[in-house]
């Protein structure tokens, strides 16, 4: 049965949801308050990361968070503010950061990441697109013994879960990748991971969806909802009323504010990240995370992207030059001879990653509104989990059995 589906939010999650809905024969409209050409879906590191199975809300992050909180150059910066929503989120984050809860989240994140990687490969193999997709793995590069020990523990968990993980000394690393000139103590290599060029994929996906009849409504902000009983009848927007059989909320960080108009309490914080591109040869051939600096480096289609930092400071796209400088400094610190110019730093863009308190995304229906489905809260894994989230939401809307157990991702879950 064809349904009239409206998706609120035109990022990677919204696009992938539209793709699978169209495949199932539904009519789709995508609303976005902007022009659908910027934000976290365009400035991220482009990683498909089965290796990222440790949630943000891990025990060590509490200790590091207090240490880094007032340092505006730190990898994880929290701007202190007296805001009730933020304080509630922070309290639930603290409650979620226990060894037991992290252990429970690990297989959940690993499973959805692996599913999403398979779906990206299917998209590539289907020949409907011609996007850059490289399965070259991921290097976790460290400079200190302490960071190396932490990475060794994570690698052991990954290996136990069936992932292929290798270790390189500095000498082995530079023998294998001589053009990059790694200035590190060592690195763990995850064979599971892949990477892409986000801007390229988003453009091709949008063109495909237009060809398939998806209607795009940019500059259309949600004002309110027309609700009858426990169902949404229509959406009141800045461009008028839009009726819908199904509504899907994939508006990233803004999702919680939109959900609040329906009486839903969904804790989300905006985790701002920055990136800039070096449009020149860097010698870097394999995606690398610079562990201590929390910087991601990705060789994309024609350029190298440096991305990083997690800044909890509310919803804004202001560029903090100190944080961009910190990413650039890490580039020169981990790669001998690599210097980032002021002009290159000046091209930096920011994106807001929607972070849930427990590090798991919200995926599925809320029991309070029967024709509302939600996909947000992916933190740093939004790009990686785009296809899996989109497919699952399409299954929910089509009343099919979901590809994964949705209980851990419930939008109604308590912390």
């Amino acid at each position: 049965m064809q349904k009239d589906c409206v998706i609120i939010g035109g990022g990677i999650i919204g696009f992938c949801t539209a793709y699978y809905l169209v495949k199932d024969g539904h009519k789709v409209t995508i609303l976005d308050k902007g022009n659908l050409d910027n934000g976290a879906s365009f400035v991220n590191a482009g990683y498909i990361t089965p290796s990222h199975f440790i949630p943000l809300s891990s025990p060590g992050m509490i200790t590091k968070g207090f240490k880094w909180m007032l340092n505006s150059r730190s990898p994880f910066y929290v701007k202190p503010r007296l805001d009730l929503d933020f304080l509630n989120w922070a309290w639930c984050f603290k409650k979620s950061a226990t060894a037991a809860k992290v252990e429970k989240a690990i297989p959940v994140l690993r499973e959805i990441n692996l599913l999403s990687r398979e779906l990206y490969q299917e998209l590539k193999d289907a020949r409907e697109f011609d996007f850059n997709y490289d399965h070259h793995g991921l290097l976790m590069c460290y400079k200190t013994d302490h960071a190396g020990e932490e990475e060794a523990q994570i690698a052991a968990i990954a290996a136990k879960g069936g992932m292929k993980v290798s270790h390189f000394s500095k000498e082995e690393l530079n023998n294998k990748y001589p053009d990059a000139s790694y200035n590190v103590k060592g690195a763990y290599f995850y064979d599971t991971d892949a990477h892409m060029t986000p801007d390229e994929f988003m453009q091709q996906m949008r063109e495909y969806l237009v060809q398939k009849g998806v209607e795009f409504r940019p500059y259309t902000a949600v004002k309110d909802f027309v609700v009858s009983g426990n169902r949404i009848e229509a959406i009141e927007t800045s461009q008028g009323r839009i009726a819908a059989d199904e509504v899907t909320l994939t508006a990233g960080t803004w999702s919680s504010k939109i959900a609040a108009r329906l009486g839903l309490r969904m804790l989300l914080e905006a985790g701002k990240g920055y990136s800039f591109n070096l449009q020149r040869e860097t010698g870097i051939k394999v995606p690398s995370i610079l562990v201590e600096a929390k910087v991601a480096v990705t060789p994309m289609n024609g350029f190298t992207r440096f991305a990083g930092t997690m800044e909890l400071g509310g919803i804004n796209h202001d560029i903090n030059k100190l944080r961009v400088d910190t990413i650039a400094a890490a580039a020169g610190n981990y790669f001998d001879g690599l210097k980032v110019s002021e002009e290159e730093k000046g091209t930096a863009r920011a994106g807001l990653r929607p972070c849930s308190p427990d590090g798991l995304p919200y995926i599925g229906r809320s029991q309070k509104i029967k024709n509302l489905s939600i996909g947000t809260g992916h933190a740093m894994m939004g790009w990686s989990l785009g296809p899996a989230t989109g497919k699952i939401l399409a299954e929910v809307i089509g009343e099919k059995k979901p590809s994964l157990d949705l209980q851990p991702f419930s939008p109604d879950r308590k912390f």
Side-chain angles (χ1 to χ4, degrees):
M1 175 183 170
Q2 184 192 64
K3 295 183 178 182
D4 194 344
C5 305
V6 176
I7 297 172
I8 302 171
I12 180 66
I13 308 298
F15 276 23
C16 287
T17 304
Y19 174 84
Y20 289 106
L21 285 172
V22 166
K23 286 284 186 182
D24 286 346
H26 300 293
K27 182 177 181 295
V28 179
T29 301
I30 297 179
L31 317 180
D32 197 280
K33 66 182 185 57
N35 195 35
L36 302 105
D37 62 357
N38 56 35
S41 294
F42 294 84
V43 306
N44 67 86
Y47 286 173
I48 297 99
T49 52
S51 65
H52 283 38
F53 50 79
I54 304 294
L56 180 64
S57 57
S58 59
M61 285 305 297
I62 297 295
T63 303
K64 291 176 181 177
F66 282 120
K67 176 183 175 182
W68 290 334
M69 186 169 66
L70 300 179
N71 180 359
S72 61
R73 291 181 180 269
S74 66
F76 181 57
Y77 171 55
V78 181
K79 182 179 180 180
R81 62 191 193 276
L82 291 176
D83 177 90
L84 184 58
D85 287 340
F86 169 68
L87 293 175
N88 285 334
W89 181 92
W91 175 245
C92 291
F93 181 93
K94 182 179 184 300
K95 289 197 298 180
S96 300
T98 67
K101 290 185 177 180
V102 168
E103 184 176 356
K104 190 175 180 180
I106 286 173
V108 174
L109 289 173
R110 182 170 55 222
E111 188 176 18
I112 191 172
N113 264 292
L114 288 170
L115 171 62
S116 213
R117 188 192 66 183
E118 293 172 6
L119 294 173
Y120 268 123
Q121 188 66 58
E122 285 181 10
L123 286 168
K124 182 68 173 178
D125 293 343
R127 302 187 183 279
E128 294 169 324
F129 307 97
D130 186 30
F131 57 82
N132 188 54
Y133 178 92
D134 293 308
H135 190 164
H136 295 330
L138 175 70
L139 288 164
M140 300 295 294
C141 302
Y142 62 89
K143 293 177 70 71
T144 64
D145 289 334
H146 178 69
E149 291 166 2
E150 289 185 338
E151 289 304 313
Q153 293 173 6
I154 296 172
I157 297 171
K160 186 178 179 180
M163 293 186 183
K164 184 179 178 182
V165 189
S166 307
H167 180 264
F168 297 128
S169 66
K170 178 180 179 179
E171 293 73 22
E172 291 170 332
L173 190 62
N174 282 313
N175 285 336
K176 191 171 181 63
Y177 308 108
D179 295 336
S181 298
Y182 285 93
N183 179 23
V184 298
K185 180 156 283 189
Y188 284 89
F189 176 72
Y190 289 82
D191 181 69
T192 51
D193 291 22
H195 69 283
M196 301 169 63
T197 303
D199 309 61
E200 181 182 84
F201 179 83
M202 292 295 288
Q203 179 182 346
Q204 291 186 23
M205 179 60 85
R206 182 171 182 174
E207 291 171 355
Y208 172 88
L209 293 174
V210 168
Q211 292 172 5
K212 296 299 180 179
V214 172
E215 181 182 0
F216 284 84
R217 295 200 179 187
Y219 303 115
T220 303
V222 174
K223 298 296 185 182
D224 210 341
F225 295 91
V226 179
V227 178
S228 177
N230 58 3
R231 295 183 60 85
I232 298 170
E233 299 292 337
I235 306 167
E236 298 285 4
T237 79
S238 57
Q239 303 298 324
R241 179 176 290 188
I242 302 172
D245 298 322
E246 291 278 350
V247 176
T248 302
L249 182 55
T250 61
T253 300
W254 289 268
S255 297
S256 58
K257 295 186 180 300
I258 296 172
R261 298 183 180 279
L262 293 165
L264 305 179
R265 180 176 179 267
M266 189 165 57
L267 293 177
L268 281 176
E269 270 298 306
K272 188 194 297 182
Y274 302 85
S275 73
F276 55 78
N277 304 328
L278 301 189
Q279 304 281 352
R280 53 186 166 93
E281 181 57 52
T282 62
I284 299 168
K285 306 301 182 186
V286 177
S288 306
I289 289 184
L290 316 181
V291 172
E292 292 89 344
K294 299 291 187 290
V295 169
V297 186
T298 314
M300 293 189 177
N301 194 8
F303 58 92
T304 304
R305 176 166 292 177
F306 287 78
T309 82
M310 175 65 80
E311 178 182 333
L312 302 181
I315 296 179
N316 68 80
H317 283 88
D318 300 338
I319 302 294
N320 185 330
K321 187 177 183 302
L322 289 177
R323 301 185 69 70
V324 177
D325 288 343
T326 299
I327 297 172
N333 193 20
Y334 284 76
F335 299 95
D336 281 335
L338 183 59
K339 304 296 181 185
V340 181
S341 70
E342 289 299 320
E343 182 180 2
E344 288 169 328
K345 288 190 286 186
T347 66
R349 298 182 292 172
L352 301 178
R353 297 163 292 195
C355 301
S356 70
D358 62 357
L360 295 176
Y362 299 108
I363 306 174
R365 289 205 188 277
S366 168
Q367 294 304 307
K368 298 175 183 177
I369 304 292
K370 296 302 183 182
N371 62 336
L372 173 70
S373 53
I374 295 171
T376 188
H378 297 75
M380 296 89 71
M381 291 180 283
W383 186 265
S384 184
L385 301 182
T389 304
K391 182 176 178 62
I392 290 168
L393 290 175
E395 290 168 341
V396 168
I397 291 167
E399 299 177 20
K400 301 177 182 179
K401 181 181 178 181
S403 296
L404 298 175
D405 175 16
L406 295 188
Q407 187 275 328
F409 306 114
S410 170
D412 297 325
R413 67 184 183 271
K414 306 299 181 183
F415 300 101

